[in-house]
Amino acid sequence: MKTRRSFSPKFTSLTAMPKSRLAGFLVMALIISVLLAACGGSSQPANPPAASSGNSSSQPAATTANGNNGNNGQDGQRGDSEFGLPEAEVTKRVDAVESLIATCMNDAGFEYIPVDYATARKAMDSNSKPSGLNADEFRTQFGYGISTQFANAATQAIMGAGEQNIRIREGLSTADRTAYMRALYGENQSATFVVGLDDENFSQTGGCTRTAVEQVFSPEELGPGFVNYQNAEGARVDQDPRVIAAYKDWATCMRDAGYSYSDPSEIDVDLANRLDAITGGAAPDSLSADAQTALTQLQGEELAIAAADHTCDLQYVNDIKTQVEQELLGLAPQN
């Protein structure tokens, strides 16, 4: 599980938050051309792996039980990849979804090459692990990674499409390309499979993407508001009276620093809403000069808020929360 409170380069929230993702691939032609030039030839195999069946009869079970402390799924147990799943299970689901998307697109009269897991993972990592930084380094450079990684989010959607599919799109006429994108994504072209998987929220998906994810992911996983094992256990900790009191002290500390938040989750919502108000869903390279200035200011404020949050957390929350986690969950302290 990826959580903002650890200052990982990615944030999640139980609240459905607006998030400025790619407004439309057509306005990103420059980014696409640069991406293709940088990548050179296709990195996908000539015959990408397909799912064994690709139907809803083998739909994975919900992932709300039998959790552990997270081991990245290397021993076949639950890990801390998307939806709290082990990496091997995420790989299977990516293959299944991509196979179903290809079938759906072919039925609609379009060519689509299933994107392999390596390509999908590379796209997700481009947003969540931009520089291989540790938590302190990431916080200093990117804060929470909301407004500060705005351009990365758009690039992520492009990379997740796969080079072969980008070439297919670019070879279509304007009218056919519009129809292709509508068939693939529905009304919201920013709600791609890779973006939804990385956000753990498929609620905005449409077209063949929606048709595919509905057959592979459980209703609880389609979002918004997905709660996995770790989040459920985290809620137990946050509801402990000692932790509630600690967060009240945290809120006072934040107000003293100039930021009025009663709960840490409000930071994500505030920054995401303000980012959307500035960008209006526009692509990074199409922002007006005024919008770019406002974005730069918001990015600077995000860094300052993250620094204050970290200071107040260490002073009032961290030790108490660690103690409660050990008592309720038997978790060892994290470095």
Side-chain angles (χ1 to χ4, degrees):
M1 183 192 74
K2 290 153 276 190
T3 162
R4 186 197 67 80
R5 293 302 304 150
S6 63
F7 290 99
S8 66
K10 164 159 180 58
F11 70 94
T12 60
S13 175
L14 303 186
T15 304
M17 294 182 291
K19 202 172 186 182
S20 291
R21 287 289 191 178
L22 189 61
F25 285 98
L26 299 183
V27 299
M28 296 288 288
L30 178 60
I31 290 181
I32 295 175
S33 62
V34 171
L35 195 61
L36 290 177
C39 293
S42 172
S43 61
Q44 291 180 306
N47 297 299
S52 56
S53 60
N55 58 52
S56 58
S57 63
S58 60
Q59 184 181 32
T63 60
T64 56
N66 300 325
N68 58 24
N69 291 340
N71 58 10
N72 295 309
Q74 294 181 15
D75 60 0
Q77 303 300 312
R78 289 173 53 83
D80 59 0
S81 292
E82 290 68 33
F83 296 99
L85 297 169
E87 196 81 359
E89 178 63 21
V90 176
T91 302
K92 286 174 56 180
R93 296 199 190 190
V94 168
D95 289 344
V97 167
E98 288 294 330
S99 178
L100 289 166
I101 290 176
T103 298
C104 179
M105 290 294 286
N106 290 337
D107 290 344
F110 297 106
E111 181 182 7
Y112 181 90
I113 308 300
V115 176
D116 62 16
Y117 174 73
T119 300
R121 173 54 63 192
K122 183 177 180 180
M124 288 189 286
D125 287 351
S126 73
N127 189 38
S128 61
K129 304 172 192 172
S131 305
L133 306 176
N134 63 36
D136 289 336
E137 292 169 337
F138 183 88
R139 182 182 61 254
T140 300
Q141 295 187 37
F142 298 102
Y144 307 106
I146 299 176
S147 66
T148 56
Q149 289 192 275
F150 172 55
N152 282 9
T155 302
Q156 178 187 45
I158 294 293
M159 292 176 65
E163 296 172 25
Q164 295 182 64
N165 292 319
I166 292 174
R167 290 193 178 96
I168 290 170
R169 296 173 190 174
E170 291 304 295
L172 298 174
S173 67
T174 300
D176 287 344
R177 190 183 307 163
T178 300
Y180 180 103
M181 299 295 284
R182 186 177 298 274
L184 180 57
Y185 299 121
E187 297 297 325
N188 188 352
Q189 295 180 13
S190 67
T192 72
F193 171 53
V194 165
V195 167
L197 181 60
D198 196 34
D199 285 346
E200 299 179 347
N201 182 359
F202 295 114
S203 63
Q204 300 301 310
T205 54
C208 287
T209 301
R210 182 69 184 186
T211 299
V213 297
E214 283 183 340
Q215 296 182 66
V216 176
F217 289 84
S218 70
E220 293 80 7
E221 292 168 331
L222 293 176
F226 171 76
V227 181
N228 64 17
Y229 172 83
Q230 291 94 333
N231 276 336
E233 293 301 307
R236 287 180 58 200
V237 172
D238 287 340
Q239 291 165 7
D240 186 279
R242 292 166 291 178
V243 175
I244 292 175
Y247 276 127
K248 288 183 179 179
D249 291 335
W250 173 92
T252 300
C253 178
M254 290 295 287
R255 283 194 295 273
D256 291 342
Y259 306 108
S260 181
Y261 298 110
S262 60
D263 182 88
S265 64
E266 293 181 1
I267 298 175
D268 290 342
V269 179
D270 178 44
L271 291 174
N273 284 338
R274 291 165 66 185
L275 175 63
D276 280 351
I278 291 170
T279 65
D285 62 348
S286 64
L287 294 179
S288 67
D290 288 344
Q292 185 60 62
T293 298
L295 176 61
T296 300
Q297 292 174 345
L298 179 61
Q299 290 169 338
E301 187 169 356
E302 178 175 337
L303 297 181
I305 293 172
D309 180 9
H310 182 61
T311 297
C312 294
D313 185 87
L314 288 178
Q315 186 172 355
Y316 294 105
V317 179
N318 186 69
D319 290 345
I320 292 176
K321 195 166 185 177
T322 297
Q323 179 184 349
V324 174
E325 286 174 342
Q326 290 177 289
E327 292 179 6
L328 296 184
L329 310 180
L331 300 181
Q334 295 182 354
N335 295 327

